[in-house]
Amino acid sequence: MIHYINPNERLTIAKVQEIVDNKMTLALSDEAKARIQKCRDYLNKKMETQKEPIYGVTTGFGSLCNISISKEQLSQLQKNLVMSHACGVGDEVPQEVVRLMLLLKAQNFCFGYSGAQLQTVQRLIDCYNNDVLPIVYQQGSLGASGDLCPLANLMLPAILGMGDVYYKGRRCDVKEVYAEFGWQPIELQSKEGLALLNGTQFMSSYATWCIIKAQRLSKQSDMILAMSLDAFDGRIEPFFESLHMVRPHKGQLETAKAIREYTEGSEIIARHKEHVQDPYSFRCAPQVHGAAKDTIAYVASVIETEINSTTDNPIVLPDEDMVISGGHFHGEPLAMVLDFLAIAVAELGSISERRTYQLIDAKRGLPSFLVAKPGLNSGFMIPQYAAAAIASQSKQLCTPCSVDSIPSSQNQEDLVSMGGNAATKCYRVMENTERIMAIELFDAAQALEFRRPLKSSPFIEKMLADYRKVVNFVDIDQIMYKHIHASVKFLQDMAM
Protein backbone atom coordinates (compact mmCIF):
# COMPACT_ATOMS: atom_id res chain seq x y z
CA MET A 1 0.00 0.00 0.00
CA ILE A 2 1.24 3.47 -0.89
CA HIS A 3 0.44 6.78 0.74
CA TYR A 4 0.99 9.68 -1.64
CA ILE A 5 2.03 12.85 0.16
CA ASN A 6 -0.21 15.48 -1.38
CA PRO A 7 -0.45 19.16 -0.43
CA ASN A 8 -4.11 19.15 -1.49
CA GLU A 9 -5.12 16.34 0.88
CA ARG A 10 -5.33 16.98 4.61
CA LEU A 11 -3.25 14.59 6.70
CA THR A 12 -5.41 13.48 9.62
CA ILE A 13 -4.43 11.74 12.84
CA ALA A 14 -6.44 8.73 11.69
CA LYS A 15 -4.52 8.67 8.40
CA VAL A 16 -1.18 8.78 10.20
CA GLN A 17 -2.29 5.83 12.31
CA GLU A 18 -3.33 3.96 9.16
CA ILE A 19 0.05 4.65 7.53
CA VAL A 20 1.90 3.37 10.59
CA ASP A 21 -0.32 0.38 11.37
CA ASN A 22 -0.37 -0.85 7.77
CA LYS A 23 3.32 -0.14 7.19
CA MET A 24 2.44 1.88 4.09
CA THR A 25 5.10 3.05 1.65
CA LEU A 26 5.45 6.80 1.18
CA ALA A 27 5.66 8.56 -2.18
CA LEU A 28 5.42 12.15 -3.36
CA SER A 29 2.40 13.01 -5.47
CA ASP A 30 2.94 14.83 -8.75
CA GLU A 31 1.45 17.97 -7.19
CA ALA A 32 3.92 17.79 -4.30
CA LYS A 33 6.86 17.35 -6.69
CA ALA A 34 5.71 20.31 -8.76
CA ARG A 35 5.33 22.58 -5.76
CA ILE A 36 8.70 21.62 -4.30
CA GLN A 37 10.47 22.21 -7.61
CA LYS A 38 8.64 25.49 -8.26
CA CYS A 39 9.74 26.87 -4.89
CA ARG A 40 13.35 25.79 -5.40
CA ASP A 41 13.48 27.32 -8.88
CA TYR A 42 12.01 30.56 -7.58
CA LEU A 43 14.55 30.76 -4.77
CA ASN A 44 17.46 30.17 -7.16
CA LYS A 45 16.21 32.96 -9.39
CA LYS A 46 15.57 35.24 -6.42
CA MET A 47 19.17 34.91 -5.28
CA GLU A 48 20.40 36.06 -8.67
CA THR A 49 18.27 39.22 -8.68
CA GLN A 50 17.93 40.14 -4.99
CA LYS A 51 20.60 42.53 -3.74
CA GLU A 52 19.33 42.83 -0.17
CA PRO A 53 20.32 40.07 2.29
CA ILE A 54 17.79 37.26 2.76
CA TYR A 55 17.82 35.74 6.25
CA GLY A 56 19.08 32.17 6.29
CA VAL A 57 19.61 32.23 2.55
CA THR A 58 22.49 34.68 2.19
CA THR A 59 23.11 35.37 5.89
CA GLY A 60 24.10 33.60 9.06
CA PHE A 61 21.55 32.30 11.55
CA GLY A 62 20.01 33.48 14.80
CA SER A 63 21.88 36.45 16.21
CA LEU A 64 24.36 36.08 13.29
CA CYS A 65 21.65 37.20 10.87
CA ASN A 66 23.52 40.42 10.03
CA ILE A 67 26.54 38.58 8.64
CA SER A 68 26.34 38.12 4.86
CA ILE A 69 27.66 34.94 3.24
CA SER A 70 29.21 34.81 -0.21
CA LYS A 71 27.65 32.74 -2.98
CA GLU A 72 30.63 30.37 -2.96
CA GLN A 73 30.12 29.57 0.72
CA LEU A 74 26.35 29.04 0.75
CA SER A 75 26.47 25.23 0.49
CA GLN A 76 29.13 25.01 3.22
CA LEU A 77 27.03 27.34 5.37
CA GLN A 78 24.09 24.93 5.22
CA LYS A 79 26.25 21.88 5.89
CA ASN A 80 27.93 23.63 8.83
CA LEU A 81 24.53 24.44 10.24
CA VAL A 82 23.46 20.79 10.36
CA MET A 83 26.76 19.62 11.86
CA SER A 84 27.02 22.34 14.50
CA HIS A 85 23.41 22.00 15.62
CA ALA A 86 23.50 18.21 16.11
CA CYS A 87 23.93 18.50 19.87
CA GLY A 88 21.35 16.02 21.12
CA VAL A 89 21.89 14.40 24.51
CA GLY A 90 19.98 12.14 26.88
CA ASP A 91 17.96 9.06 26.02
CA GLU A 92 17.29 8.12 22.42
CA VAL A 93 14.02 9.14 20.83
CA PRO A 94 11.86 6.00 20.38
CA GLN A 95 12.06 4.64 16.86
CA GLU A 96 8.31 4.98 16.29
CA VAL A 97 8.68 8.74 16.88
CA VAL A 98 11.72 8.99 14.57
CA ARG A 99 9.63 7.43 11.79
CA LEU A 100 7.00 10.10 12.32
CA MET A 101 9.68 12.80 12.18
CA LEU A 102 10.68 11.62 8.70
CA LEU A 103 7.06 11.47 7.56
CA LEU A 104 6.06 14.85 8.96
CA LYS A 105 9.16 16.62 7.66
CA ALA A 106 8.38 15.38 4.15
CA GLN A 107 4.78 16.50 4.68
CA ASN A 108 6.05 19.96 5.71
CA PHE A 109 8.06 20.28 2.49
CA CYS A 110 5.26 19.13 0.17
CA PHE A 111 3.45 22.47 0.39
CA GLY A 112 6.27 24.17 -1.53
CA TYR A 113 7.11 27.02 0.83
CA SER A 114 10.49 25.82 2.13
CA GLY A 115 12.91 25.86 -0.80
CA ALA A 116 14.14 22.29 -0.32
CA GLN A 117 15.50 20.33 -3.27
CA LEU A 118 13.33 17.53 -4.57
CA GLN A 119 16.14 15.04 -3.99
CA THR A 120 16.41 16.14 -0.36
CA VAL A 121 12.73 15.43 0.29
CA GLN A 122 13.01 12.14 -1.58
CA ARG A 123 15.91 11.06 0.64
CA LEU A 124 13.72 11.52 3.73
CA ILE A 125 11.10 9.32 2.11
CA ASP A 126 13.73 6.73 1.15
CA CYS A 127 14.88 6.57 4.77
CA TYR A 128 11.30 6.06 5.93
CA ASN A 129 10.50 3.39 3.36
CA ASN A 130 13.70 1.45 4.00
CA ASP A 131 13.43 1.76 7.79
CA VAL A 132 16.69 3.69 8.03
CA LEU A 133 16.17 5.48 11.33
CA PRO A 134 18.69 8.10 12.48
CA ILE A 135 19.71 8.17 16.13
CA VAL A 136 17.99 11.19 17.66
CA TYR A 137 18.20 12.25 21.29
CA GLN A 138 15.44 13.51 23.54
CA GLN A 139 17.15 16.53 25.04
CA GLY A 140 18.29 19.70 23.31
CA SER A 141 15.26 21.42 21.78
CA LEU A 142 13.88 24.69 23.13
CA GLY A 143 10.90 24.31 20.82
CA ALA A 144 11.30 27.81 19.46
CA SER A 145 13.69 28.19 16.51
CA GLY A 146 12.17 24.98 15.47
CA ASP A 147 13.42 21.73 16.94
CA LEU A 148 16.94 22.64 15.83
CA CYS A 149 18.91 20.13 17.82
CA PRO A 150 16.91 16.91 17.31
CA LEU A 151 16.20 17.74 13.67
CA ALA A 152 19.93 18.24 13.11
CA ASN A 153 20.56 14.79 14.56
CA LEU A 154 17.87 13.44 12.22
CA MET A 155 19.31 15.10 9.12
CA LEU A 156 22.97 14.45 9.79
CA PRO A 157 22.75 10.76 8.74
CA ALA A 158 19.71 11.01 6.48
CA ILE A 159 20.95 13.85 4.28
CA LEU A 160 24.68 14.32 4.91
CA GLY A 161 25.66 10.68 5.44
CA MET A 162 27.24 11.27 8.86
CA GLY A 163 26.49 9.56 12.15
CA ASP A 164 24.61 6.47 13.25
CA VAL A 165 21.26 4.91 12.37
CA TYR A 166 19.19 1.86 13.20
CA TYR A 167 18.88 -0.42 10.20
CA LYS A 168 17.72 -4.03 10.05
CA GLY A 169 17.39 -4.12 13.81
CA ARG A 170 20.89 -2.99 14.65
CA ARG A 171 22.78 0.23 15.21
CA CYS A 172 25.38 0.98 12.57
CA ASP A 173 27.33 3.76 10.86
CA VAL A 174 25.13 5.29 8.19
CA LYS A 175 27.98 4.92 5.70
CA GLU A 176 27.18 1.19 5.60
CA VAL A 177 23.61 1.97 4.57
CA TYR A 178 24.72 4.51 1.96
CA ALA A 179 27.01 1.89 0.45
CA GLU A 180 24.22 -0.71 0.33
CA PHE A 181 21.78 1.61 -1.43
CA GLY A 182 24.32 3.49 -3.53
CA TRP A 183 23.36 6.79 -1.90
CA GLN A 184 25.55 9.88 -1.91
CA PRO A 185 25.47 12.73 0.62
CA ILE A 186 23.26 15.51 -0.69
CA GLU A 187 24.97 18.82 -1.40
CA LEU A 188 22.73 21.33 0.27
CA GLN A 189 21.71 24.45 -1.59
CA SER A 190 20.90 27.85 -0.16
CA LYS A 191 18.42 27.87 2.75
CA GLU A 192 18.16 24.06 2.77
CA GLY A 193 19.97 23.46 6.05
CA LEU A 194 17.69 25.96 7.72
CA ALA A 195 14.63 24.36 6.13
CA LEU A 196 15.72 20.98 7.47
CA LEU A 197 16.29 22.18 11.03
CA ASN A 198 13.67 24.88 11.46
CA GLY A 199 10.27 23.36 12.08
CA THR A 200 8.30 21.59 14.79
CA GLN A 201 8.59 17.99 13.64
CA PHE A 202 10.21 16.75 16.86
CA MET A 203 7.34 18.21 18.89
CA SER A 204 4.64 17.35 16.37
CA SER A 205 5.85 13.75 15.96
CA TYR A 206 5.75 13.20 19.70
CA ALA A 207 2.38 14.96 19.77
CA THR A 208 1.00 12.75 17.01
CA TRP A 209 2.19 9.59 18.77
CA CYS A 210 0.78 10.83 22.08
CA ILE A 211 -2.64 11.77 20.69
CA ILE A 212 -3.01 8.37 19.03
CA LYS A 213 -2.07 6.76 22.33
CA ALA A 214 -4.39 9.06 24.29
CA GLN A 215 -7.36 8.23 22.06
CA ARG A 216 -6.68 4.54 22.65
CA LEU A 217 -6.23 4.93 26.40
CA SER A 218 -9.45 6.92 26.63
CA LYS A 219 -11.45 4.05 25.08
CA GLN A 220 -9.70 1.44 27.18
CA SER A 221 -10.26 3.42 30.37
CA ASP A 222 -14.02 3.14 29.79
CA MET A 223 -13.77 -0.60 29.16
CA ILE A 224 -11.77 -1.19 32.32
CA LEU A 225 -14.07 1.11 34.30
CA ALA A 226 -17.04 -1.03 33.23
CA MET A 227 -15.34 -4.17 34.52
CA SER A 228 -14.32 -2.47 37.76
CA LEU A 229 -17.84 -1.13 38.26
CA ASP A 230 -19.32 -4.62 38.09
CA ALA A 231 -16.51 -6.09 40.18
CA PHE A 232 -17.18 -3.43 42.84
CA ASP A 233 -20.94 -4.06 42.63
CA GLY A 234 -21.40 -0.44 41.62
CA ARG A 235 -24.54 1.40 40.61
CA ILE A 236 -25.49 2.19 37.02
CA GLU A 237 -27.66 5.25 37.79
CA PRO A 238 -24.74 7.74 37.63
CA PHE A 239 -24.41 6.75 33.97
CA PHE A 240 -28.05 7.33 32.95
CA GLU A 241 -28.45 9.57 29.92
CA SER A 242 -31.21 11.64 31.52
CA LEU A 243 -28.82 12.63 34.31
CA HIS A 244 -26.15 13.84 31.88
CA MET A 245 -28.52 15.73 29.63
CA VAL A 246 -28.79 18.42 32.32
CA ARG A 247 -25.01 18.95 32.03
CA PRO A 248 -24.39 17.86 28.45
CA HIS A 249 -20.63 18.01 27.97
CA LYS A 250 -19.88 15.89 24.90
CA GLY A 251 -17.22 13.68 26.47
CA GLN A 252 -19.32 13.15 29.58
CA LEU A 253 -22.29 11.96 27.50
CA GLU A 254 -20.00 9.65 25.49
CA THR A 255 -18.51 8.09 28.62
CA ALA A 256 -21.88 7.46 30.24
CA LYS A 257 -23.19 5.89 27.03
CA ALA A 258 -20.14 3.66 26.71
CA ILE A 259 -20.55 2.32 30.26
CA ARG A 260 -24.25 1.63 29.72
CA GLU A 261 -23.40 -0.31 26.58
CA TYR A 262 -20.48 -2.21 28.10
CA THR A 263 -22.55 -3.31 31.13
CA GLU A 264 -25.77 -4.10 29.25
CA GLY A 265 -27.00 -7.57 30.17
CA SER A 266 -24.98 -7.84 33.37
CA GLU A 267 -26.64 -9.76 36.20
CA ILE A 268 -24.42 -7.92 38.65
CA ILE A 269 -25.26 -4.39 37.54
CA ALA A 270 -28.99 -5.22 37.49
CA ARG A 271 -29.28 -6.67 40.98
CA HIS A 272 -30.51 -4.75 44.03
CA LYS A 273 -27.84 -2.61 45.71
CA GLU A 274 -27.55 -2.20 49.47
CA HIS A 275 -25.39 0.93 49.18
CA VAL A 276 -26.90 4.30 48.27
CA GLN A 277 -23.99 5.68 46.27
CA ASP A 278 -20.48 4.85 45.06
CA PRO A 279 -17.16 6.63 45.68
CA TYR A 280 -16.18 9.43 43.30
CA SER A 281 -13.79 7.23 41.32
CA PHE A 282 -16.88 5.34 40.08
CA ARG A 283 -19.73 7.84 40.43
CA CYS A 284 -17.83 10.77 38.89
CA ALA A 285 -16.10 8.76 36.17
CA PRO A 286 -18.27 10.26 33.39
CA GLN A 287 -17.17 13.74 34.45
CA VAL A 288 -13.48 12.83 34.69
CA HIS A 289 -13.23 10.50 31.70
CA GLY A 290 -15.45 12.89 29.76
CA ALA A 291 -13.29 15.93 30.45
CA ALA A 292 -10.30 13.93 29.24
CA LYS A 293 -12.18 13.04 26.05
CA ASP A 294 -12.99 16.69 25.38
CA THR A 295 -9.37 17.67 25.98
CA ILE A 296 -8.09 14.92 23.68
CA ALA A 297 -10.46 16.08 20.91
CA TYR A 298 -9.27 19.68 21.22
CA VAL A 299 -5.60 18.72 21.27
CA ALA A 300 -6.10 16.53 18.20
CA SER A 301 -7.51 19.51 16.28
CA VAL A 302 -4.43 21.60 17.09
CA ILE A 303 -2.06 18.81 16.12
CA GLU A 304 -3.83 18.27 12.80
CA THR A 305 -3.48 21.96 11.99
CA GLU A 306 0.23 21.77 12.82
CA ILE A 307 1.05 18.72 10.70
CA ASN A 308 -0.73 20.29 7.73
CA SER A 309 1.32 23.48 7.97
CA THR A 310 4.70 24.79 6.87
CA THR A 311 6.66 25.46 10.04
CA ASP A 312 10.20 26.30 8.97
CA ASN A 313 11.69 29.76 8.37
CA PRO A 314 11.97 31.87 6.31
CA ILE A 315 8.81 31.10 4.35
CA VAL A 316 9.23 31.25 0.57
CA LEU A 317 6.14 32.52 -1.25
CA PRO A 318 6.80 32.22 -5.01
CA ASP A 319 3.39 33.48 -6.11
CA GLU A 320 3.77 36.63 -3.99
CA ASP A 321 7.46 37.03 -4.89
CA MET A 322 8.39 37.20 -1.20
CA VAL A 323 10.73 35.51 1.21
CA ILE A 324 9.53 36.37 4.71
CA SER A 325 11.32 35.69 7.98
CA GLY A 326 8.63 35.00 10.56
CA GLY A 327 7.99 32.74 13.51
CA HIS A 328 6.18 29.64 12.27
CA PHE A 329 8.85 27.48 13.88
CA HIS A 330 7.76 28.59 17.35
CA GLY A 331 6.33 25.66 19.27
CA GLU A 332 3.93 27.48 21.59
CA PRO A 333 0.76 26.01 20.02
CA LEU A 334 2.10 22.50 20.57
CA ALA A 335 3.75 23.19 23.92
CA MET A 336 0.51 24.35 25.49
CA VAL A 337 -1.64 21.49 24.22
CA LEU A 338 1.00 18.89 25.08
CA ASP A 339 0.91 20.19 28.65
CA PHE A 340 -2.89 20.02 28.53
CA LEU A 341 -2.87 16.50 27.07
CA ALA A 342 -0.49 15.27 29.76
CA ILE A 343 -2.81 16.63 32.45
CA ALA A 344 -5.88 14.98 30.92
CA VAL A 345 -4.28 11.56 30.54
CA ALA A 346 -2.65 11.77 33.97
CA GLU A 347 -6.14 12.24 35.41
CA LEU A 348 -7.25 9.03 33.71
CA GLY A 349 -4.37 7.40 35.55
CA SER A 350 -5.23 9.04 38.87
CA ILE A 351 -8.88 7.92 38.85
CA SER A 352 -7.83 4.45 37.69
CA GLU A 353 -5.48 4.10 40.67
CA ARG A 354 -8.30 5.15 43.02
CA ARG A 355 -10.58 2.42 41.65
CA THR A 356 -7.76 -0.08 42.12
CA TYR A 357 -7.59 0.94 45.77
CA GLN A 358 -11.35 0.60 46.24
CA LEU A 359 -11.23 -2.97 44.88
CA ILE A 360 -8.61 -4.17 47.41
CA ASP A 361 -10.12 -2.42 50.46
CA ALA A 362 -12.29 -5.33 51.67
CA LYS A 363 -15.58 -3.66 50.71
CA ARG A 364 -18.87 -5.08 49.42
CA GLY A 365 -18.03 -8.71 49.98
CA LEU A 366 -14.59 -8.61 48.38
CA PRO A 367 -11.72 -10.11 50.44
CA SER A 368 -8.82 -7.99 51.67
CA PHE A 369 -6.34 -7.51 48.83
CA LEU A 370 -8.46 -9.80 46.63
CA VAL A 371 -6.87 -13.03 47.80
CA ALA A 372 -7.74 -16.05 49.93
CA LYS A 373 -6.26 -16.19 53.43
CA PRO A 374 -5.08 -12.56 53.64
CA GLY A 375 -2.20 -12.32 56.09
CA LEU A 376 -0.55 -15.46 54.85
CA ASN A 377 -0.99 -13.96 51.39
CA SER A 378 -0.44 -10.29 50.53
CA GLY A 379 -2.31 -10.69 47.27
CA PHE A 380 -2.93 -7.45 45.40
CA MET A 381 -1.53 -5.17 48.08
CA ILE A 382 1.61 -4.07 46.28
CA PRO A 383 0.27 -3.65 42.72
CA GLN A 384 -1.72 -0.75 44.18
CA TYR A 385 1.50 0.66 45.66
CA ALA A 386 3.04 0.52 42.21
CA ALA A 387 0.02 2.25 40.65
CA ALA A 388 0.16 4.96 43.32
CA ALA A 389 3.88 5.54 42.72
CA ILE A 390 3.36 5.83 38.98
CA ALA A 391 0.39 8.17 39.42
CA SER A 392 2.47 10.37 41.71
CA GLN A 393 5.23 10.59 39.12
CA SER A 394 2.74 11.60 36.44
CA LYS A 395 1.45 14.40 38.65
CA GLN A 396 4.99 15.73 38.96
CA LEU A 397 5.48 15.47 35.20
CA CYS A 398 2.36 17.59 34.68
CA THR A 399 4.08 20.78 35.81
CA PRO A 400 3.65 22.89 32.65
CA CYS A 401 6.67 23.29 30.40
CA SER A 402 5.05 25.95 28.23
CA VAL A 403 5.21 28.65 30.93
CA ASP A 404 9.00 28.40 31.11
CA SER A 405 11.53 30.18 28.93
CA ILE A 406 15.30 30.70 28.91
CA PRO A 407 16.56 33.20 26.29
CA SER A 408 19.14 32.01 23.78
CA SER A 409 21.22 33.10 20.74
CA GLN A 410 22.49 36.29 22.35
CA ASN A 411 18.91 37.19 23.33
CA GLN A 412 17.67 37.20 19.72
CA GLU A 413 15.49 34.24 20.67
CA ASP A 414 14.24 35.77 23.90
CA LEU A 415 11.08 33.73 24.55
CA VAL A 416 10.99 30.03 23.77
CA SER A 417 8.22 27.45 24.16
CA MET A 418 10.06 24.54 25.80
CA GLY A 419 7.77 22.41 23.67
CA GLY A 420 10.42 19.73 23.30
CA ASN A 421 10.29 19.11 27.03
CA ALA A 422 6.48 19.18 26.94
CA ALA A 423 6.59 16.52 24.23
CA THR A 424 8.94 14.08 25.94
CA LYS A 425 7.22 14.31 29.32
CA CYS A 426 3.80 13.87 27.70
CA TYR A 427 5.11 10.63 26.17
CA ARG A 428 6.11 9.44 29.66
CA VAL A 429 2.67 10.27 31.03
CA MET A 430 1.07 8.16 28.27
CA GLU A 431 3.22 5.18 29.24
CA ASN A 432 2.54 5.75 32.94
CA THR A 433 -1.22 5.83 32.51
CA GLU A 434 -1.18 2.67 30.42
CA ARG A 435 0.65 0.88 33.25
CA ILE A 436 -1.76 2.18 35.90
CA MET A 437 -4.74 1.07 33.81
CA ALA A 438 -3.13 -2.34 33.31
CA ILE A 439 -2.96 -2.72 37.09
CA GLU A 440 -6.63 -1.72 37.45
CA LEU A 441 -7.53 -4.33 34.84
CA PHE A 442 -5.48 -6.91 36.76
CA ASP A 443 -7.41 -6.11 39.95
CA ALA A 444 -10.83 -5.81 38.28
CA ALA A 445 -10.49 -9.21 36.62
CA GLN A 446 -9.50 -10.74 39.95
CA ALA A 447 -12.36 -9.07 41.84
CA LEU A 448 -14.95 -10.06 39.26
CA GLU A 449 -14.22 -13.72 39.92
CA PHE A 450 -15.50 -13.26 43.48
CA ARG A 451 -18.94 -12.31 42.11
CA ARG A 452 -19.57 -15.80 40.77
CA PRO A 453 -21.95 -17.42 40.03
CA LEU A 454 -23.40 -14.09 38.87
CA LYS A 455 -22.44 -13.16 35.33
CA SER A 456 -21.35 -9.79 34.05
CA SER A 457 -22.37 -8.47 30.63
CA PRO A 458 -21.47 -10.35 27.42
CA PHE A 459 -18.95 -7.58 26.59
CA ILE A 460 -17.20 -7.78 29.96
CA GLU A 461 -17.27 -11.59 30.07
CA LYS A 462 -15.63 -11.69 26.62
CA MET A 463 -13.01 -9.17 27.70
CA LEU A 464 -12.32 -11.22 30.83
CA ALA A 465 -12.03 -14.47 28.85
CA ASP A 466 -9.52 -12.85 26.48
CA TYR A 467 -7.58 -11.46 29.42
CA ARG A 468 -7.45 -14.85 31.12
CA LYS A 469 -5.56 -16.20 28.12
CA VAL A 470 -2.56 -14.12 29.22
CA VAL A 471 -3.12 -13.45 32.96
CA ASN A 472 -4.45 -16.15 35.27
CA PHE A 473 -6.52 -15.88 38.46
CA VAL A 474 -4.28 -15.49 41.52
CA ASP A 475 -5.43 -17.87 44.26
CA ILE A 476 -2.30 -17.62 46.43
CA ASP A 477 0.72 -15.31 46.31
CA GLN A 478 2.61 -15.37 43.05
CA ILE A 479 5.31 -13.30 41.35
CA MET A 480 3.20 -10.32 40.35
CA TYR A 481 5.36 -8.24 38.04
CA LYS A 482 5.05 -10.83 35.29
CA HIS A 483 1.28 -10.56 35.46
CA ILE A 484 1.44 -6.76 35.39
CA HIS A 485 3.76 -6.77 32.37
CA ALA A 486 1.43 -9.23 30.62
CA SER A 487 -1.49 -6.95 31.46
CA VAL A 488 0.29 -3.98 29.85
CA LYS A 489 0.96 -6.02 26.72
CA PHE A 490 -2.70 -7.09 26.67
CA LEU A 491 -3.73 -3.44 26.44
CA GLN A 492 -1.13 -2.73 23.78
CA ASP A 493 -2.27 -5.65 21.63
CA MET A 494 -6.01 -5.17 22.17
CA ALA A 495 -7.95 -4.71 18.94
CA MET A 496 -9.89 -1.46 19.06
Side-chain angles (χ1 to χ4, degrees):
M1 296 175 66
I2 300 175
H3 168 71
Y4 287 95
I5 297 174
N6 191 329
N8 296 324
E9 294 181 7
R10 185 172 178 82
L11 182 63
T12 64
I13 300 296
K15 186 63 181 182
V16 173
Q17 186 170 7
E18 180 187 352
I19 293 167
V20 172
D21 290 348
N22 295 323
K23 296 181 171 55
M24 297 175 72
T25 298
L26 300 183
L28 288 171
S29 66
D30 290 341
E31 176 65 18
K33 292 177 182 177
R35 285 204 190 185
I36 292 167
Q37 190 61 54
K38 176 182 177 180
C39 186
R40 186 65 240 175
D41 291 344
Y42 164 79
L43 192 57
N44 289 339
K45 184 177 180 181
K46 185 74 171 177
M47 289 177 58
E48 294 175 1
T49 59
Q50 173 96 8
K51 295 184 178 180
E52 295 296 320
I54 305 173
Y55 172 72
V57 179
T58 59
T59 73
F61 311 108
S63 63
L64 303 176
C65 61
N66 294 318
I67 299 177
S68 294
I69 308 297
S70 68
K71 184 177 180 180
E72 294 73 27
Q73 294 177 310
L74 290 180
S75 179
Q76 188 64 45
L77 169 70
Q78 303 301 320
K79 182 177 180 181
N80 288 350
L81 179 71
V82 177
M83 292 190 296
S84 67
H85 285 44
C87 297
V89 293
D91 295 334
E92 293 178 7
V93 174
Q95 292 182 35
E96 61 266 27
V97 177
V98 174
R99 286 189 186 92
L100 290 176
M101 291 174 71
L102 292 167
L103 164 61
L104 296 185
K105 198 65 186 179
Q107 175 75 13
N108 175 90
F109 288 147
C110 84
F111 300 107
Y113 301 123
S114 299
Q117 297 179 85
L118 190 55
Q119 64 173 330
T120 302
V121 186
Q122 185 60 51
R123 177 62 56 78
L124 297 176
I125 292 173
D126 291 341
C127 285
Y128 182 97
N129 289 341
N130 291 286
D131 217 25
V132 178
L133 303 177
I135 308 297
V136 184
Y137 298 93
Q138 293 186 19
Q139 293 177 313
S141 175
L142 296 174
S145 290
D147 290 311
L148 295 172
C149 182
L151 286 174
N153 278 104
L154 182 80
M155 301 305 174
L156 195 68
I159 304 301
L160 298 185
M162 302 176 180
D164 294 337
V165 297
Y166 283 110
Y167 178 60
K168 293 183 178 179
R170 68 181 184 91
R171 182 171 180 152
C172 64
D173 191 310
V174 74
K175 289 183 175 61
E176 297 179 32
V177 179
Y178 269 52
E180 179 174 332
F181 289 108
W183 294 349
Q184 295 295 322
I186 292 174
E187 184 174 349
L188 298 177
Q189 296 188 17
S190 61
K191 203 258 180 194
E192 268 203 292
L194 199 57
L196 292 169
L197 307 196
N198 267 182
T200 62
Q201 286 72 43
F202 176 74
M203 290 176 281
S204 59
S205 295
Y206 263 103
T208 301
W209 185 94
C210 286
I211 201 66
I212 291 171
K213 190 74 164 182
Q215 290 168 341
R216 183 178 180 86
L217 292 175
S218 177
K219 292 179 183 178
Q220 290 176 328
S221 67
D222 288 349
M223 296 175 184
I224 298 168
L225 162 62
M227 184 182 289
S228 292
L229 183 68
D230 245 8
F232 193 62
D233 195 24
R235 302 187 69 104
I236 193 61
E237 291 87 347
F239 302 90
F240 281 179
E241 183 179 24
S242 55
L243 171 67
H244 293 283
M245 286 307 297
V246 304
R247 193 199 193 196
H249 291 292
K250 186 173 185 291
Q252 187 173 313
L253 287 164
E254 289 175 355
T255 301
K257 181 181 179 182
I259 301 308
R260 293 195 305 273
E261 292 176 350
Y262 292 149
T263 58
E264 186 175 357
S266 168
E267 296 173 0
I268 304 170
I269 208 77
R271 74 174 180 170
H272 173 73
K273 309 297 180 184
E274 297 295 333
H275 45 279
V276 175
Q277 62 176 210
D278 293 329
Y280 281 9
S281 55
F282 292 96
R283 180 160 41 108
C284 300
Q287 290 77 13
V288 177
H289 286 208
K293 283 182 176 63
D294 291 339
T295 300
I296 290 167
Y298 168 66
V299 173
S301 71
V302 175
I303 294 170
E304 284 198 355
T305 296
E306 188 74 6
I307 65 177
N308 287 281
S309 301
T310 302
T311 60
D312 57 88
N313 183 64
I315 299 297
V316 183
L317 303 170
D319 292 341
E320 287 80 11
D321 189 20
M322 292 189 295
V323 181
I324 302 176
S325 180
H328 286 348
F329 50 64
H330 204 288
E332 201 74 71
L334 287 175
M336 287 186 177
V337 297
L338 283 163
D339 283 339
F340 197 10
L341 182 62
I343 290 168
V345 175
E347 280 296 273
L348 291 179
S350 289
I351 198 170
S352 174
E353 183 278 325
R354 288 293 78 203
R355 290 192 293 265
T356 294
Y357 182 85
Q358 295 289 350
L359 290 170
I360 66 172
D361 198 27
K363 295 175 180 176
R364 303 185 181 180
L366 296 174
S368 291
F369 305 114
L370 301 177
V371 71
K373 298 181 181 178
L376 175 63
N377 295 296
S378 295
F380 285 67
M381 179 190 295
I382 305 304
Q384 184 270 326
Y385 283 40
I390 299 167
S392 176
Q393 184 185 73
S394 286
K395 293 172 188 178
Q396 296 165 49
L397 289 169
C398 283
T399 299
C401 295
S402 56
V403 297
D404 187 31
S405 178
I406 299 177
S408 60
S409 195
Q410 297 177 337
N411 216 32
Q412 177 78 352
E413 297 160 11
D414 56 347
L415 190 137
V416 302
S417 76
M418 295 298 178
N421 291 344
T424 54
K425 63 102 174 192
C426 189
Y427 184 99
R428 292 178 64 191
V429 170
M430 298 299 137
E431 290 189 315
N432 281 355
T433 296
E434 182 176 63
R435 292 163 188 160
I436 295 168
M437 286 168 44
I439 292 172
E440 183 190 355
L441 177 58
F442 186 30
D443 283 52
Q446 180 80 5
L448 197 59
E449 304 281 12
F450 291 101
R451 299 300 178 192
R452 302 307 186 201
L454 293 174
K455 291 284 189 180
S456 187
S457 68
F459 175 87
I460 293 172
E461 291 291 347
K462 173 65 165 58
M463 184 175 171
L464 178 62
D466 291 342
Y467 185 69
R468 283 286 174 248
K469 294 174 184 177
V470 295
V471 178
N472 60 269
F473 178 79
V474 177
D475 52 352
I476 58 174
D477 276 353
Q478 300 177 12
I479 298 172
M480 300 295 261
Y481 79 87
K482 294 182 179 180
H483 293 319
I484 295 172
H485 291 185
S487 192
V488 171
K489 191 171 190 308
F490 176 83
L491 291 181
Q492 292 172 343
D493 295 342
M494 180 187 288
M496 300 293 289

